[in-house]
Amino acid sequence: MPFDNSPRIKQISLPATSVAVREALCQLFGKQTEIPLPSEACDRAQIVLAEALNNVVKHAYAHCDGGIEVHITFFLDYLECHIIDHGQPIPDDIFFVTKRPAIPPHTINGTFSELPEGGFGWHLIKTLSHNLRYTRHAGKNQLSFSISRISPLTTKPHIK
Amino acid sequence: MKIECTSSQECQILHINEARIDAFGAIKFKEHMRNLIGDGHKRVILDLTNVTFVDSSGLGALVAIHKLLSPNRKLELASLAPAVTRVLQLTHMDQVFPIHANISDAFGNAI
């Protein structure tokens, strides 16, 4: 059989709720996954998509209901993802500036009350994706990024 | 959120029988953990064998439980899936939680 390396496209529409996000991720990354990347790359894709989709649920649609469209194109060495919604825009200071929340040194072995409990989402998205871009046009948000077969990180994941 | 609890005099082990600690389940998970954690144990270990995925909301819930146990105890984590390890490493939270390869390892590495 000839090897087919043409890109395939997967499109998912979901309501902007955290349970729908969970179901979409299970459908994409469950045992019957169609994603033709190694499991380490699938983990990265799942982390980035989870954070991006939950941001839409929590922030873009904080004050109203709505829907989310996810378009994924599968290439041989990477995935290209587009997430589209009609909610509130992403503020510039969030998209351009977000850094990893700091862990004060004394919280590692001492007082824990200053440990951050949130703010990790954008850091994970920015660290694990490539070519991240955001556009706002005619009331529509589009966040796009790629996930490559090769990890953008030098740290190796622990083997279970 | 299904959590099974086994305890000895010194140690409480909480086995999470769910595949995901995520934005959908994080608040319930936190509440359930608050109700289950007793005062009398020196160590509290979370067995994550069945958990394949933790997102930033799930991580926030783990941090909240860790704070709840402070200042005298820490939330220890055992049997992390690669995707869970990845999230902890990227947020540097792997420096905060004591992490064990599995439950038997947790008893070889008394904190």
Side-chain angles (χ1 to χ4, degrees), chain A residues 1 15 22 24 30 41 61 84 92-93 106 112 118 142 149 156:
Chain A
M1 206 169 86
R22 176 191 275 195
Y61 289 119
I84 297 151
D92 281 354
D93 60 337
H106 60 273
F112 303 124
Q142 180 166 326
R149 175 178 286 270
K156 288 181 182 169

Side-chain angles (χ1 to χ4, degrees), chain A residues 18-19 22 40 43-44 46 51 54 58 100 103 108-109 112-113 115-117 120 123 128 158 160, chain B residues 20 22-24 49 53 55-57 60 63-64 66-67 70 74 80 83 86 89-93 95:
Chain A
S18 56
V19 67
R22 176 191 275 195
E40 186 276 329
D43 285 347
R44 275 186 274 122
Q46 179 166 202
E51 299 303 334
N54 281 316
K58 275 191 282 185
R100 175 175 64 79
I103 300 175
I108 292 174
N109 278 309
F112 303 124
S113 58
L115 273 177
E117 289 180 38
F120 299 114
H123 170 68
L128 296 175
H158 289 177
K160 190 170 179 177
Chain B
R20 307 174 82 86
D22 59 8
F24 178 60
T49 305
F53 189 73
D55 67 11
S56 64
S57 302
V63 173
H66 192 71
K67 287 182 182 177
S70 72
K74 293 179 173 186
L80 272 56
R86 172 53 68 86
Q89 286 175 335
L90 288 173
T91 55
H92 293 204
M93 284 296 173
Q95 299 168 27

Side-chain angles (χ1 to χ4, degrees), chain A residues 9-21:
Chain A
I9 295 171
K10 175 110 183 157
Q11 300 199 15
I12 300 176
S13 297
L14 61 146
T17 63
S18 56
V19 67
V21 169

Side-chain angles (χ1 to χ4, degrees), chain A residues 59-61 85-92 94-95 134-137 139-142:
Chain A
H59 302 297
Y61 289 119
D85 69 76
H86 292 84
Q88 293 296 306
I90 303 173
D92 281 354
I94 296 291
F95 184 73
Y134 167 66
T135 58
R136 170 88 179 173
H137 180 67
K140 190 171 82 172
N141 296 314
Q142 180 166 326

